[in-house]
Amino acid sequence: PVGRPEPWMCYLNAVQLQVRPFAAMVKIGDTVSDIHEGLNAGMWTIGLTQSGNELGLTEAEADALAPADLDQRLKGIEKRYSEAGVHYVARGIWEVLPLIEEIGERLERGERP
């Protein structure tokens, strides 16, 4: 009925994919609203800083920034994600697989988001 940060799209995806439980799922997003959506659905959350809407730059534009400028911007995004309650932060999807593996290990230990 409404979009983020409500969890309904996550629920619909789970129904269509026939997967459960939500505590074993991961919401990967590039906005604070994405983080809230995942948390509201009871999922682990990973926020993307460099390859997403929060930075708002193309890959070429991000590459053209001075490294210190890029780092400062990414730290600001990470701070906003942390304040929203994100579980993990990655620069882009290329850094996500080890985080997924860590989440799997945490689930094996009985941890939940």
Side-chain angles (χ1 to χ4, degrees):
V2 295
R4 293 179 305 255
E6 297 301 323
W8 314 127
M9 290 188 291
C10 291
Y11 293 165
L12 181 60
N13 285 331
V15 168
Q16 290 179 346
L17 295 170
Q18 298 180 13
V19 295
R20 64 180 177 89
F22 279 91
M25 296 181 209
V26 180
K27 169 66 179 184
I28 301 171
D30 61 3
T31 66
V32 169
S33 189
D34 286 327
I35 303 308
H36 288 150
E37 177 188 26
L39 295 172
N40 288 336
M43 303 167 78
W44 296 94
T45 58
I46 299 174
L48 304 179
T49 58
Q50 185 172 329
S51 64
N53 285 311
E54 289 289 317
L55 182 60
L57 300 175
T58 66
E59 183 178 5
E61 291 169 334
D63 289 344
L65 291 175
D69 186 16
L70 179 60
D71 286 342
Q72 181 180 1
R73 292 179 189 211
L74 297 181
K75 285 178 184 173
I77 296 166
E78 186 170 348
K79 183 177 186 285
R80 289 192 295 279
Y81 287 167
S82 292
E83 290 170 351
V86 74
H87 295 103
Y88 296 92
V89 175
R91 282 187 171 221
I93 199 75
W94 59 89
E95 293 183 355
V96 167
L97 187 55
L99 302 177
I100 299 291
E101 291 170 356
E102 184 175 329
I103 290 168
E105 291 167 6
R106 292 179 70 180
L107 286 167
E108 287 178 11
R109 293 191 302 266
E111 294 183 48
R112 297 292 178 260

PDB file of all heavy atoms in Angstrom, residues 71-100:
ATOM      1  N   ASP A  71      36.484  10.258   0.685  1.00  0.00           N
ATOM      2  CA  ASP A  71      36.433   9.638   2.013  1.00  0.00           C
ATOM      3  C   ASP A  71      35.563  10.437   2.971  1.00  0.00           C
ATOM      4  O   ASP A  71      34.779   9.866   3.740  1.00  0.00           O
ATOM      5  CB  ASP A  71      37.842   9.467   2.593  1.00  0.00           C
ATOM      6  CG  ASP A  71      38.620   8.340   1.941  1.00  0.00           C
ATOM      7  OD1 ASP A  71      37.984   7.468   1.290  1.00  0.00           O
ATOM      8  OD2 ASP A  71      39.851   8.326   2.076  1.00  0.00           O
ATOM      9  N   GLN A  72      35.676  11.757   2.939  1.00  0.00           N
ATOM     10  CA  GLN A  72      34.873  12.605   3.818  1.00  0.00           C
ATOM     11  C   GLN A  72      33.387  12.440   3.511  1.00  0.00           C
ATOM     12  O   GLN A  72      32.565  12.318   4.418  1.00  0.00           O
ATOM     13  CB  GLN A  72      35.288  14.066   3.679  1.00  0.00           C
ATOM     14  CG  GLN A  72      34.499  14.992   4.580  1.00  0.00           C
ATOM     15  CD  GLN A  72      34.918  16.449   4.419  1.00  0.00           C
ATOM     16  OE1 GLN A  72      35.790  16.784   3.621  1.00  0.00           O
ATOM     17  NE2 GLN A  72      34.291  17.317   5.178  1.00  0.00           N
ATOM     18  N   ARG A  73      33.044  12.418   2.247  1.00  0.00           N
ATOM     19  CA  ARG A  73      31.644  12.248   1.854  1.00  0.00           C
ATOM     20  C   ARG A  73      31.120  10.880   2.285  1.00  0.00           C
ATOM     21  O   ARG A  73      29.999  10.752   2.784  1.00  0.00           O
ATOM     22  CB  ARG A  73      31.485  12.418   0.351  1.00  0.00           C
ATOM     23  CG  ARG A  73      31.728  13.829  -0.128  1.00  0.00           C
ATOM     24  CD  ARG A  73      31.573  13.914  -1.629  1.00  0.00           C
ATOM     25  NE  ARG A  73      31.994  15.187  -2.154  1.00  0.00           N
ATOM     26  CZ  ARG A  73      31.467  15.744  -3.233  1.00  0.00           C
ATOM     27  NH1 ARG A  73      30.508  15.141  -3.899  1.00  0.00           N
ATOM     28  NH2 ARG A  73      31.915  16.900  -3.667  1.00  0.00           N
ATOM     29  N   LEU A  74      31.943   9.840   2.085  1.00  0.00           N
ATOM     30  CA  LEU A  74      31.515   8.491   2.441  1.00  0.00           C
ATOM     31  C   LEU A  74      31.360   8.337   3.946  1.00  0.00           C
ATOM     32  O   LEU A  74      30.437   7.654   4.417  1.00  0.00           O
ATOM     33  CB  LEU A  74      32.497   7.454   1.891  1.00  0.00           C
ATOM     34  CG  LEU A  74      32.609   7.396   0.363  1.00  0.00           C
ATOM     35  CD1 LEU A  74      33.598   6.320  -0.048  1.00  0.00           C
ATOM     36  CD2 LEU A  74      31.265   7.193  -0.297  1.00  0.00           C
ATOM     37  N   LYS A  75      32.220   8.985   4.717  1.00  0.00           N
ATOM     38  CA  LYS A  75      32.091   8.937   6.177  1.00  0.00           C
ATOM     39  C   LYS A  75      30.793   9.601   6.622  1.00  0.00           C
ATOM     40  O   LYS A  75      30.153   9.143   7.571  1.00  0.00           O
ATOM     41  CB  LYS A  75      33.299   9.593   6.841  1.00  0.00           C
ATOM     42  CG  LYS A  75      34.534   8.723   6.789  1.00  0.00           C
ATOM     43  CD  LYS A  75      35.737   9.399   7.417  1.00  0.00           C
ATOM     44  CE  LYS A  75      36.961   8.504   7.238  1.00  0.00           C
ATOM     45  NZ  LYS A  75      38.193   9.143   7.657  1.00  0.00           N
ATOM     46  N   GLY A  76      30.392  10.670   5.959  1.00  0.00           N
ATOM     47  CA  GLY A  76      29.122  11.317   6.279  1.00  0.00           C
ATOM     48  C   GLY A  76      27.938  10.400   6.006  1.00  0.00           C
ATOM     49  O   GLY A  76      26.993  10.323   6.803  1.00  0.00           O
ATOM     50  N   ILE A  77      27.988   9.687   4.898  1.00  0.00           N
ATOM     51  CA  ILE A  77      26.924   8.743   4.557  1.00  0.00           C
ATOM     52  C   ILE A  77      26.908   7.604   5.576  1.00  0.00           C
ATOM     53  O   ILE A  77      25.843   7.217   6.073  1.00  0.00           O
ATOM     54  CB  ILE A  77      27.116   8.192   3.127  1.00  0.00           C
ATOM     55  CG1 ILE A  77      26.991   9.328   2.111  1.00  0.00           C
ATOM     56  CG2 ILE A  77      26.115   7.080   2.835  1.00  0.00           C
ATOM     57  CD1 ILE A  77      27.484   8.975   0.719  1.00  0.00           C
ATOM     58  N   GLU A  78      28.080   7.093   5.913  1.00  0.00           N
ATOM     59  CA  GLU A  78      28.169   6.020   6.896  1.00  0.00           C
ATOM     60  C   GLU A  78      27.592   6.467   8.239  1.00  0.00           C
ATOM     61  O   GLU A  78      26.892   5.705   8.909  1.00  0.00           O
ATOM     62  CB  GLU A  78      29.616   5.568   7.056  1.00  0.00           C
ATOM     63  CG  GLU A  78      29.767   4.367   7.953  1.00  0.00           C
ATOM     64  CD  GLU A  78      31.157   3.764   7.929  1.00  0.00           C
ATOM     65  OE1 GLU A  78      31.977   4.128   7.054  1.00  0.00           O
ATOM     66  OE2 GLU A  78      31.407   2.909   8.800  1.00  0.00           O
ATOM     67  N   LYS A  79      27.830   7.697   8.615  1.00  0.00           N
ATOM     68  CA  LYS A  79      27.294   8.231   9.873  1.00  0.00           C
ATOM     69  C   LYS A  79      25.770   8.253   9.832  1.00  0.00           C
ATOM     70  O   LYS A  79      25.107   7.848  10.793  1.00  0.00           O
ATOM     71  CB  LYS A  79      27.842   9.638  10.130  1.00  0.00           C
ATOM     72  CG  LYS A  79      27.395  10.250  11.447  1.00  0.00           C
ATOM     73  CD  LYS A  79      28.039  11.621  11.647  1.00  0.00           C
ATOM     74  CE  LYS A  79      27.749  12.202  13.000  1.00  0.00           C
ATOM     75  NZ  LYS A  79      26.411  12.714  13.151  1.00  0.00           N
ATOM     76  N   ARG A  80      25.200   8.703   8.722  1.00  0.00           N
ATOM     77  CA  ARG A  80      23.740   8.725   8.593  1.00  0.00           C
ATOM     78  C   ARG A  80      23.163   7.301   8.658  1.00  0.00           C
ATOM     79  O   ARG A  80      22.135   7.073   9.305  1.00  0.00           O
ATOM     80  CB  ARG A  80      23.317   9.417   7.294  1.00  0.00           C
ATOM     81  CG  ARG A  80      23.554  10.917   7.325  1.00  0.00           C
ATOM     82  CD  ARG A  80      22.876  11.640   6.186  1.00  0.00           C
ATOM     83  NE  ARG A  80      23.375  11.321   4.856  1.00  0.00           N
ATOM     84  CZ  ARG A  80      24.464  11.850   4.300  1.00  0.00           C
ATOM     85  NH1 ARG A  80      25.192  12.724   4.979  1.00  0.00           N
ATOM     86  NH2 ARG A  80      24.821  11.525   3.078  1.00  0.00           N
ATOM     87  N   TYR A  81      23.839   6.358   8.003  1.00  0.00           N
ATOM     88  CA  TYR A  81      23.393   4.963   8.062  1.00  0.00           C
ATOM     89  C   TYR A  81      23.482   4.427   9.483  1.00  0.00           C
ATOM     90  O   TYR A  81      22.575   3.739   9.955  1.00  0.00           O
ATOM     91  CB  TYR A  81      24.236   4.080   7.149  1.00  0.00           C
ATOM     92  CG  TYR A  81      23.987   4.229   5.667  1.00  0.00           C
ATOM     93  CD1 TYR A  81      24.875   3.676   4.762  1.00  0.00           C
ATOM     94  CD2 TYR A  81      22.882   4.896   5.152  1.00  0.00           C
ATOM     95  CE1 TYR A  81      24.671   3.776   3.396  1.00  0.00           C
ATOM     96  CE2 TYR A  81      22.675   5.007   3.785  1.00  0.00           C
ATOM     97  CZ  TYR A  81      23.577   4.442   2.913  1.00  0.00           C
ATOM     98  OH  TYR A  81      23.370   4.541   1.565  1.00  0.00           O
ATOM     99  N   SER A  82      24.575   4.722  10.170  1.00  0.00           N
ATOM    100  CA  SER A  82      24.745   4.249  11.551  1.00  0.00           C
ATOM    101  C   SER A  82      23.656   4.813  12.444  1.00  0.00           C
ATOM    102  O   SER A  82      23.090   4.093  13.276  1.00  0.00           O
ATOM    103  CB  SER A  82      26.121   4.633  12.089  1.00  0.00           C
ATOM    104  OG  SER A  82      27.127   3.921  11.399  1.00  0.00           O
ATOM    105  N   GLU A  83      23.355   6.086  12.274  1.00  0.00           N
ATOM    106  CA  GLU A  83      22.286   6.709  13.058  1.00  0.00           C
ATOM    107  C   GLU A  83      20.935   6.063  12.764  1.00  0.00           C
ATOM    108  O   GLU A  83      20.058   6.028  13.622  1.00  0.00           O
ATOM    109  CB  GLU A  83      22.240   8.211  12.789  1.00  0.00           C
ATOM    110  CG  GLU A  83      23.426   8.953  13.364  1.00  0.00           C
ATOM    111  CD  GLU A  83      23.542  10.396  12.907  1.00  0.00           C
ATOM    112  OE1 GLU A  83      22.788  10.810  11.985  1.00  0.00           O
ATOM    113  OE2 GLU A  83      24.401  11.111  13.464  1.00  0.00           O
ATOM    114  N   ALA A  84      20.766   5.529  11.568  1.00  0.00           N
ATOM    115  CA  ALA A  84      19.524   4.857  11.183  1.00  0.00           C
ATOM    116  C   ALA A  84      19.457   3.435  11.723  1.00  0.00           C
ATOM    117  O   ALA A  84      18.393   2.819  11.707  1.00  0.00           O
ATOM    118  CB  ALA A  84      19.375   4.847   9.660  1.00  0.00           C
ATOM    119  N   GLY A  85      20.602   2.889  12.173  1.00  0.00           N
ATOM    120  CA  GLY A  85      20.610   1.550  12.754  1.00  0.00           C
ATOM    121  C   GLY A  85      21.136   0.451  11.854  1.00  0.00           C
ATOM    122  O   GLY A  85      20.945  -0.732  12.142  1.00  0.00           O
ATOM    123  N   VAL A  86      21.821   0.803  10.774  1.00  0.00           N
ATOM    124  CA  VAL A  86      22.338  -0.195   9.835  1.00  0.00           C
ATOM    125  C   VAL A  86      23.233  -1.213  10.546  1.00  0.00           C
ATOM    126  O   VAL A  86      23.920  -0.883  11.519  1.00  0.00           O
ATOM    127  CB  VAL A  86      23.103   0.505   8.682  1.00  0.00           C
ATOM    128  CG1 VAL A  86      24.462   1.020   9.134  1.00  0.00           C
ATOM    129  CG2 VAL A  86      23.256  -0.413   7.484  1.00  0.00           C
ATOM    130  N   HIS A  87      23.214  -2.441  10.070  1.00  0.00           N
ATOM    131  CA  HIS A  87      24.083  -3.478  10.635  1.00  0.00           C
ATOM    132  C   HIS A  87      25.493  -3.425  10.037  1.00  0.00           C
ATOM    133  O   HIS A  87      26.472  -3.642  10.754  1.00  0.00           O
ATOM    134  CB  HIS A  87      23.487  -4.865  10.380  1.00  0.00           C
ATOM    135  CG  HIS A  87      22.189  -5.077  11.093  1.00  0.00           C
ATOM    136  ND1 HIS A  87      20.970  -5.014  10.446  1.00  0.00           N
ATOM    137  CD2 HIS A  87      21.922  -5.319  12.392  1.00  0.00           C
ATOM    138  CE1 HIS A  87      20.011  -5.226  11.327  1.00  0.00           C
ATOM    139  NE2 HIS A  87      20.554  -5.414  12.515  1.00  0.00           N
ATOM    140  N   TYR A  88      25.591  -3.186   8.739  1.00  0.00           N
ATOM    141  CA  TYR A  88      26.874  -3.162   8.045  1.00  0.00           C
ATOM    142  C   TYR A  88      26.861  -2.054   6.993  1.00  0.00           C
ATOM    143  O   TYR A  88      25.806  -1.705   6.464  1.00  0.00           O
ATOM    144  CB  TYR A  88      27.140  -4.488   7.319  1.00  0.00           C
ATOM    145  CG  TYR A  88      27.272  -5.670   8.232  1.00  0.00           C
ATOM    146  CD1 TYR A  88      26.183  -6.455   8.554  1.00  0.00           C
ATOM    147  CD2 TYR A  88      28.510  -6.013   8.773  1.00  0.00           C
ATOM    148  CE1 TYR A  88      26.298  -7.549   9.396  1.00  0.00           C
ATOM    149  CE2 TYR A  88      28.638  -7.105   9.619  1.00  0.00           C
ATOM    150  CZ  TYR A  88      27.531  -7.863   9.920  1.00  0.00           C
ATOM    151  OH  TYR A  88      27.649  -8.945  10.752  1.00  0.00           O
ATOM    152  N   VAL A  89      28.061  -1.583   6.667  1.00  0.00           N
ATOM    153  CA  VAL A  89      28.222  -0.586   5.612  1.00  0.00           C
ATOM    154  C   VAL A  89      29.294  -1.082   4.650  1.00  0.00           C
ATOM    155  O   VAL A  89      30.320  -1.626   5.072  1.00  0.00           O
ATOM    156  CB  VAL A  89      28.638   0.789   6.192  1.00  0.00           C
ATOM    157  CG1 VAL A  89      28.913   1.783   5.090  1.00  0.00           C
ATOM    158  CG2 VAL A  89      27.556   1.321   7.120  1.00  0.00           C
ATOM    159  N   ALA A  90      29.037  -0.896   3.352  1.00  0.00           N
ATOM    160  CA  ALA A  90      29.998  -1.251   2.306  1.00  0.00           C
ATOM    161  C   ALA A  90      30.043  -0.121   1.297  1.00  0.00           C
ATOM    162  O   ALA A  90      29.052   0.588   1.104  1.00  0.00           O
ATOM    163  CB  ALA A  90      29.583  -2.553   1.618  1.00  0.00           C
ATOM    164  N   ARG A  91      31.182   0.053   0.659  1.00  0.00           N
ATOM    165  CA  ARG A  91      31.276   1.087  -0.382  1.00  0.00           C
ATOM    166  C   ARG A  91      30.382   0.747  -1.565  1.00  0.00           C
ATOM    167  O   ARG A  91      29.764   1.618  -2.153  1.00  0.00           O
ATOM    168  CB  ARG A  91      32.717   1.266  -0.844  1.00  0.00           C
ATOM    169  CG  ARG A  91      33.535   2.074   0.126  1.00  0.00           C
ATOM    170  CD  ARG A  91      34.912   2.373  -0.437  1.00  0.00           C
ATOM    171  NE  ARG A  91      35.578   3.324   0.445  1.00  0.00           N
ATOM    172  CZ  ARG A  91      36.314   4.336   0.033  1.00  0.00           C
ATOM    173  NH1 ARG A  91      36.521   4.524  -1.249  1.00  0.00           N
ATOM    174  NH2 ARG A  91      36.860   5.153   0.893  1.00  0.00           N
ATOM    175  N   GLY A  92      30.345  -0.516  -1.933  1.00  0.00           N
ATOM    176  CA  GLY A  92      29.529  -0.946  -3.067  1.00  0.00           C
ATOM    177  C   GLY A  92      29.273  -2.430  -2.990  1.00  0.00           C
ATOM    178  O   GLY A  92      29.766  -3.124  -2.102  1.00  0.00           O
ATOM    179  N   ILE A  93      28.535  -2.932  -3.950  1.00  0.00           N
ATOM    180  CA  ILE A  93      28.151  -4.339  -3.966  1.00  0.00           C
ATOM    181  C   ILE A  93      29.381  -5.249  -3.987  1.00  0.00           C
ATOM    182  O   ILE A  93      29.332  -6.370  -3.513  1.00  0.00           O
ATOM    183  CB  ILE A  93      27.177  -4.613  -5.146  1.00  0.00           C
ATOM    184  CG1 ILE A  93      26.397  -5.899  -4.929  1.00  0.00           C
ATOM    185  CG2 ILE A  93      27.895  -4.603  -6.474  1.00  0.00           C
ATOM    186  CD1 ILE A  93      25.309  -5.789  -3.905  1.00  0.00           C
ATOM    187  N   TRP A  94      30.495  -4.749  -4.501  1.00  0.00           N
ATOM    188  CA  TRP A  94      31.727  -5.526  -4.563  1.00  0.00           C
ATOM    189  C   TRP A  94      32.280  -5.869  -3.177  1.00  0.00           C
ATOM    190  O   TRP A  94      33.105  -6.754  -3.058  1.00  0.00           O
ATOM    191  CB  TRP A  94      32.782  -4.801  -5.404  1.00  0.00           C
ATOM    192  CG  TRP A  94      33.136  -3.424  -4.888  1.00  0.00           C
ATOM    193  CD1 TRP A  94      34.108  -3.116  -3.974  1.00  0.00           C
ATOM    194  CD2 TRP A  94      32.526  -2.191  -5.234  1.00  0.00           C
ATOM    195  NE1 TRP A  94      34.131  -1.759  -3.726  1.00  0.00           N
ATOM    196  CE2 TRP A  94      33.167  -1.163  -4.492  1.00  0.00           C
ATOM    197  CE3 TRP A  94      31.488  -1.836  -6.094  1.00  0.00           C
ATOM    198  CZ2 TRP A  94      32.804   0.177  -4.594  1.00  0.00           C
ATOM    199  CZ3 TRP A  94      31.143  -0.493  -6.183  1.00  0.00           C
ATOM    200  CH2 TRP A  94      31.798   0.489  -5.443  1.00  0.00           C
ATOM    201  N   GLU A  95      31.808  -5.214  -2.132  1.00  0.00           N
ATOM    202  CA  GLU A  95      32.256  -5.493  -0.768  1.00  0.00           C
ATOM    203  C   GLU A  95      31.232  -6.282   0.053  1.00  0.00           C
ATOM    204  O   GLU A  95      31.442  -6.518   1.239  1.00  0.00           O
ATOM    205  CB  GLU A  95      32.571  -4.192  -0.020  1.00  0.00           C
ATOM    206  CG  GLU A  95      33.750  -3.445  -0.545  1.00  0.00           C
ATOM    207  CD  GLU A  95      34.067  -2.193   0.262  1.00  0.00           C
ATOM    208  OE1 GLU A  95      33.316  -1.837   1.197  1.00  0.00           O
ATOM    209  OE2 GLU A  95      35.079  -1.563  -0.054  1.00  0.00           O
ATOM    210  N   VAL A  96      30.140  -6.711  -0.561  1.00  0.00           N
ATOM    211  CA  VAL A  96      29.034  -7.297   0.191  1.00  0.00           C
ATOM    212  C   VAL A  96      29.224  -8.774   0.528  1.00  0.00           C
ATOM    213  O   VAL A  96      28.825  -9.218   1.603  1.00  0.00           O
ATOM    214  CB  VAL A  96      27.702  -7.068  -0.569  1.00  0.00           C
ATOM    215  CG1 VAL A  96      26.581  -7.904  -0.017  1.00  0.00           C
ATOM    216  CG2 VAL A  96      27.346  -5.585  -0.528  1.00  0.00           C
ATOM    217  N   LEU A  97      29.815  -9.573  -0.345  1.00  0.00           N
ATOM    218  CA  LEU A  97      29.892 -11.018  -0.120  1.00  0.00           C
ATOM    219  C   LEU A  97      30.509 -11.384   1.234  1.00  0.00           C
ATOM    220  O   LEU A  97      29.930 -12.213   1.960  1.00  0.00           O
ATOM    221  CB  LEU A  97      30.625 -11.720  -1.264  1.00  0.00           C
ATOM    222  CG  LEU A  97      30.605 -13.248  -1.199  1.00  0.00           C
ATOM    223  CD1 LEU A  97      29.186 -13.793  -1.106  1.00  0.00           C
ATOM    224  CD2 LEU A  97      31.329 -13.830  -2.397  1.00  0.00           C
ATOM    225  N   PRO A  98      31.629 -10.791   1.645  1.00  0.00           N
ATOM    226  CA  PRO A  98      32.156 -11.140   2.977  1.00  0.00           C
ATOM    227  C   PRO A  98      31.191 -10.773   4.110  1.00  0.00           C
ATOM    228  O   PRO A  98      31.143 -11.462   5.136  1.00  0.00           O
ATOM    229  CB  PRO A  98      33.447 -10.325   3.089  1.00  0.00           C
ATOM    230  CG  PRO A  98      33.825  -9.970   1.701  1.00  0.00           C
ATOM    231  CD  PRO A  98      32.541  -9.898   0.926  1.00  0.00           C
ATOM    232  N   LEU A  99      30.407  -9.732   3.926  1.00  0.00           N
ATOM    233  CA  LEU A  99      29.431  -9.348   4.939  1.00  0.00           C
ATOM    234  C   LEU A  99      28.306 -10.373   5.021  1.00  0.00           C
ATOM    235  O   LEU A  99      27.839 -10.716   6.118  1.00  0.00           O
ATOM    236  CB  LEU A  99      28.875  -7.954   4.647  1.00  0.00           C
ATOM    237  CG  LEU A  99      29.904  -6.828   4.573  1.00  0.00           C
ATOM    238  CD1 LEU A  99      29.237  -5.515   4.201  1.00  0.00           C
ATOM    239  CD2 LEU A  99      30.676  -6.712   5.874  1.00  0.00           C
ATOM    240  N   ILE A 100      27.872 -10.873   3.875  1.00  0.00           N
ATOM    241  CA  ILE A 100      26.850 -11.926   3.835  1.00  0.00           C
ATOM    242  C   ILE A 100      27.373 -13.172   4.553  1.00  0.00           C
ATOM    243  O   ILE A 100      26.646 -13.808   5.324  1.00  0.00           O
ATOM    244  CB  ILE A 100      26.458 -12.265   2.379  1.00  0.00           C
ATOM    245  CG1 ILE A 100      25.871 -11.046   1.662  1.00  0.00           C
ATOM    246  CG2 ILE A 100      25.525 -13.464   2.327  1.00  0.00           C
ATOM    247  CD1 ILE A 100      24.536 -10.592   2.146  1.00  0.00           C
TER     248      ILE A 100
END
